[in-house]
Amino acid sequence: MVHAIALAVALHLSNAASVPVPTIAKAQAEVVRVYRDIGVDVEWSQPGVLRGDQPQSIHVVVIPYETGDLQQRPKTVMGAATRTPHGTRVAYVFYRRVEAEAAQYDVSPAFVLACAIAHEVGHLLLPDGFQSGHSRAGLMRACWDRDDFRRADMGQLRFLPEQALLIRARLTP
Ligand SMILES: [Zn+2]
């Protein structure tokens, strides 16, 4: 898909799970690709450069395990999307869970990490209440199965066309 207007989102990464640098770099590049596919330019900011005041900026925080309130969730998930009381949007990804899923399905942790990040950021970019953000197929499925992990590993786990439209509509100034 080719889109005329480039829409931008700034992502700030905190790697608090000691994820190896090459894995992070590969995952970041894959997130850029997934969003470029739907006409959205993702910019990863340098560590320490916080521009939280930007309207389209999201913090991506990679931690080993879910903590606190996030543990109350019924299902094992790889991440969570939240807003702070000040309105800062935060996408958490739980790296030990990413590693476990990657090992179980014999796929690359970097690609699973990328899909988990793209999924949680997707929650923050999709309109509130849109089927709680989940779809029955693609990147925004609540839980991925073996085939989804295969697609993820081949860089083919993507947003559905209607989700791409919603995200683009919300980002359009
Ligand atoms: Zn989700």
Side-chain angles (χ1 to χ4, degrees), residues 59-63 70 78-82 90-94 116 120:
H59 293 250
V60 176
V61 181
V62 184
I63 52 178
L70 302 174
M78 290 190 287
T82 61
V90 186
Y92 288 102
V93 174
F94 315 128
E120 297 308 330

Side-chain angles (χ1 to χ4, degrees), residues 62-127:
V62 184
I63 52 178
Y65 287 105
E66 57 271 43
T67 53
D69 288 352
L70 302 174
Q71 280 173 335
Q72 308 307 318
R73 297 185 177 217
K75 261 187 183 168
T76 302
V77 289
M78 290 190 287
T82 61
R83 259 171 220 270
T84 67
H86 301 290
T88 304
R89 294 178 292 178
V90 186
Y92 288 102
V93 174
F94 315 128
Y95 192 64
R96 296 293 166 262
R97 301 238 181 260
V98 167
E99 280 184 322
E101 300 280 295
Q104 186 184 340
Y105 293 101
D106 194 25
V107 293
S108 144
F111 273 34
V112 176
L113 177 61
C115 289
I117 292 172
H119 176 105
E120 297 308 330
V121 169
H123 276 302
L124 295 166
L125 294 177
L126 282 162

Side-chain angles (χ1 to χ4, degrees), residues 131 134-138 140-143 148 160 163:
Q131 298 170 349
H134 285 141
S135 52
R136 290 172 61 190
M140 293 310 290
R141 261 186 105 162
C143 283
D148 292 321
L160 302 180
Q163 292 167 331

